[in-house]
Amino acid sequence: MVEASAYTDKVMEHFFNPRNVGEIEDPDGVGRVGNPVCGDVMKMEIKVKDGRIADIKFMTFGCGAAIATSSIVTEMVKGKTLEEAMAVDNRQVASALGGLPPAKLHCSNLAADALHKAIEDYRSRAKPAG
Amino acid sequence: MREVYLDHAATTPVHPEVAEVVHAHLVDAYGNPSSLHRFGRRARSAVEQARERVARALAAEPEEIVFTSGGTEADNLAIRGVARRAGSGHIITSQIEHHAVLHTCEALETEGFAVTYLPVDAQGRVKPEDVAAAIREDTILVSIMAANNEVGTIEPLAAIGAICRRRGVLLHSDAVQAFGQLPLDVGALNVDLMSISAHKVYGPKGIGALYVRRGIRLTPLMYGGGHERRRRPGTENVPGIVGLGMATEIALRELPDRPQAMAAVRDQLIRGIGETIPDVVLNGDPVDRLPNNVNFCFRYVEGESILLALDSKGIAASSGSACTSGALEPSHVLVAMGLPHDLAQGSVRFSVGRGTTAGDIDYVLGVLGPAIDRLRKMSPLYAERAGGGPRAGGTSLEG
């Protein structure tokens, strides 16, 4: 490995061993952010049980930071209540990874947004059904 | 871990023979070429020998070679030098030039010069007829690269040179990537100014040269002593200059065979990627391309993540896209060639060198396929691609 990477070891560890990759069959909520033109697309799917995130999976097209942030956010919120998960923001995700290069803080740090969208999607589905 | 360096278009290792003469001129022949004494004369003679070597490689005269700090300064000196001498006027360049040319032209626009940025075709080639059509009465300079640094496409410089000569317009060419890989004859090409750099041809960093056809007057970028015939002041970078001279000599010596050998390795990689990885697009001209350049887009995955995966296995390559403030910018070259932004995000350039072996390519192919596969399995775009199932390769390699 190269000695001085722009990324922390934690980013690289999540990039090479991402947690919770994939799709959930029949998810309770789906959140998707970014677009391919900008170089990043993240999709989060959640399964909710008793007000908690029982399962979460992601799919990401993007750079190392995009993949690592997606991976770590799934770890951070799995088992948490929806309220706790909604409180996780992109800055916390970046610091959980030991920081990100400045250029990556905006475009590639959307994982929490994708998660919030998935929760909102779950809530909007839940309402009309009662 | 095995290491395979496939980023020779970024820079090359210094050739041992070059390192030897650089060292000798750092510690032994250290005189100032402007000094009258024997120490100075020794340094002067080394500088002039290097100048002759560079001139010979371009079929130019020694007094037409100006040593600079590298390709960027050579581009600046050529374009700014001509523009400032003229005072006003119109410049023609292309959308796929190196930033050393593009940003210099953009800066001149703020000083009142008009600039036309010519489009290119899908292979990244400037059409000579577009150059002819863009020339105006007040056109003072055309600047078109000899070969593109990202996609390796060789530009039709001779045809463009003939047009410029006929119309009486000066032609500059950034030949930083072509130098040492293609024969370059400034007379036959009708090129008036040509930029080269040492570190792309196994020479040291920080040294390059500008060929300036006899009779062309340039306003210098800097003021100081009368060095380099008043075109570039400052005590000569003697170790760098002799390093450039030696690197040029070696490149010239090897020009009959080395490029073909490199092209064979290049084609092994191009073929291998095409045969083992679906949904790829070869960027640049499949035939008229630099012998060292391989550039592919890998659909549904992003370039940097490919580079990280390769780097973890000791393989060095580069990506055209760059993270700037707030957005990932795809390569301006691929965008000019008409590639959609999402596809352009997944481009990787592999540039082989004189030390690259067939075994190196086998190793790279063994790593690359699984790496792309792993990233695609993570990619929502791959999961959602049209058809859903595995698809055949993208653009045909022959296309």
Side-chain angles (χ1 to χ4, degrees):
Chain A
M1 281 296 296
V2 183
E3 290 75 66
S5 164
Y7 288 131
T8 63
D9 290 347
K10 190 118 193 198
V11 171
M12 297 308 283
E13 203 271 315
H14 275 269
F15 172 75
F16 285 112
N17 305 290
R19 331 294 200 252
N20 304 306
V21 179
E23 290 168 298
I24 292 175
E25 207 173 312
D26 194 22
D28 295 328
V30 180
R32 187 186 167 105
V33 294
N35 74 65
V37 172
C38 303
D40 289 297
V41 178
M42 297 180 189
K43 192 175 77 167
M44 292 275 165
E45 295 185 338
I46 54 171
K47 203 84 186 160
V48 180
K49 201 176 172 196
D50 302 330
R52 288 180 183 273
I53 294 179
D55 198 8
I56 178 164
K57 295 238 189 264
F58 81 90
M59 295 283 273
T60 290
F61 160 84
C63 63
I67 290 169
T69 51
S70 306
S71 168
I72 201 163
V73 84
T74 63
E75 245 186 13
M76 289 166 75
V77 303
K78 202 166 177 177
K80 293 272 165 63
T81 66
L82 296 184
E83 289 68 31
E84 287 166 336
M86 283 303 281
V88 171
D89 64 22
N90 289 329
R91 266 182 38 205
Q92 289 169 303
V93 173
S95 41
L97 288 166
L100 287 172
K104 302 286 184 183
L105 279 172
H106 299 290
C107 65
S108 307
N109 190 16
L110 304 168
D113 297 347
L115 166 70
H116 298 164
K117 275 197 162 183
I119 294 171
E120 282 157 16
D121 179 49
Y122 161 76
R123 285 176 170 164
S124 71
R125 290 186 202 190
K127 260 179 213 152
Chain B
M1 186 198 304
R2 182 168 188 163
E3 290 191 343
V4 179
Y5 183 77
L6 294 185
D7 205 9
H8 292 83
T11 196
T12 55
V14 172
H15 191 290
E17 283 181 57
V18 174
E20 205 176 299
V21 297
V22 169
H23 184 261
H25 287 82
L26 284 166
V27 299
D28 298 326
Y30 54 79
N32 184 326
S34 299
S35 301
L36 191 67
H37 47 65
R38 65 188 57 227
F39 295 84
R41 291 199 305 274
R42 257 178 233 141
R44 168 60 57 203
S45 136
V47 166
E48 296 315 316
Q49 186 201 27
R51 200 185 305 279
E52 282 165 25
R53 286 173 159 177
V54 172
R56 196 178 322 130
L58 301 176
E61 296 299 325
E63 62 268 28
E64 294 176 312
I65 303 300
V66 180
F67 292 115
T68 66
S69 64
T72 292
E73 188 193 333
D75 286 343
N76 272 268
L77 178 58
I79 299 168
R80 283 181 176 285
V82 167
R84 291 204 170 139
R85 182 86 191 174
S88 66
H90 172 238
I91 297 166
I92 298 168
T93 187
S94 82
Q95 293 171 5
I96 62 159
E97 296 298 313
H98 190 275
H99 286 136
V101 168
L102 283 180
H103 291 166
T104 299
C105 288
E106 285 164 14
L108 287 170
E109 281 187 280
T110 69
E111 294 175 25
F113 292 88
V115 181
T116 299
Y117 301 91
L118 293 175
V120 294
D121 67 15
Q123 275 71 48
R125 197 182 297 99
V126 176
K127 294 196 200 80
E129 58 267 33
D130 287 351
V131 176
I135 293 176
R136 318 191 312 207
E137 205 149 281
D138 64 341
T139 303
I140 53 172
L141 181 70
V142 173
S143 179
I144 302 292
M145 65 200 334
N148 183 266
N149 50 309
E150 284 186 32
V151 297
T153 298
I154 298 168
E155 299 299 332
L157 205 53
I160 293 168
I163 291 165
C164 291
R165 182 51 41 90
R166 200 159 56 238
R167 305 281 293 271
V169 177
L170 294 180
L171 173 61
H172 165 251
S173 185
D174 177 332
V176 166
Q177 293 289 337
F179 185 62
Q181 297 204 68
L182 305 175
L184 295 170
D185 178 328
V186 290
L189 292 169
N190 282 309
V191 169
D192 302 296
L193 302 130
M194 182 173 270
S195 307
I196 64 160
S197 172
H199 77 105
K200 309 290 190 187
V201 290
Y202 307 90
K205 294 166 184 65
I207 185 72
L210 179 67
Y211 157 76
V212 184
R213 185 179 295 282
R214 192 181 316 203
I216 296 176
R217 306 287 294 273
L218 300 174
T219 298
L221 296 175
M222 298 186 290
Y223 294 89
H227 310 83
E228 299 297 290
R229 295 173 168 256
R230 304 197 171 279
R231 292 171 296 195
R232 208 283 188 172
T235 298
E236 294 87 345
N237 171 3
V238 179
I241 289 170
V242 297
L244 168 59
M246 181 56 82
T248 301
E249 192 68 9
I250 295 167
L252 200 60
R253 186 170 80 204
E254 297 184 341
L255 202 51
D257 307 309
R258 181 73 67 184
Q260 283 89 332
M262 272 182 4
V265 177
R266 171 199 70 185
D267 292 340
Q268 182 195 351
L269 183 55
I270 292 177
R271 252 195 332 271
I273 291 174
E275 284 166 5
T276 57
I277 306 175
D279 285 327
V280 298
V281 178
L282 176 68
N283 298 309
D285 195 289
V287 181
D288 288 329
R289 99 186 274 130
L290 288 175
N292 74 345
N293 179 287
V294 177
N295 187 310
F296 272 97
C297 282
F298 298 90
R299 278 185 207 273
Y300 316 116
V301 290
E302 189 274 334
E304 188 211 82
S305 59
I306 302 171
L307 297 187
L308 290 174
L310 292 174
D311 180 49
S312 75
K313 302 287 184 190
I315 299 165
S318 67
S319 167
S321 51
C323 247
T324 55
S325 54
L328 188 66
E329 296 286 342
S331 136
H332 68 284
V333 175
L334 297 180
V335 170
M337 286 161 58
L339 261 76
H341 281 228
D342 55 334
L343 188 53
Q345 303 284 18
S347 78
V348 176
R349 177 187 71 187
F350 305 89
S351 41
V352 303
R354 61 202 308 281
T356 310
T357 64
D360 289 335
I361 300 301
D362 288 337
Y363 176 69
V364 171
L365 289 168
V367 169
L368 187 59
I372 298 290
D373 198 44
R374 186 181 87 88
L375 291 167
R376 281 183 175 163
K377 288 199 171 116
M378 255 187 265
S379 168
L381 306 181
Y382 185 65
E384 294 156 11
R385 72 198 185 281
R391 294 204 319 193
T395 301
S396 105
L397 292 181
E398 284 72 43

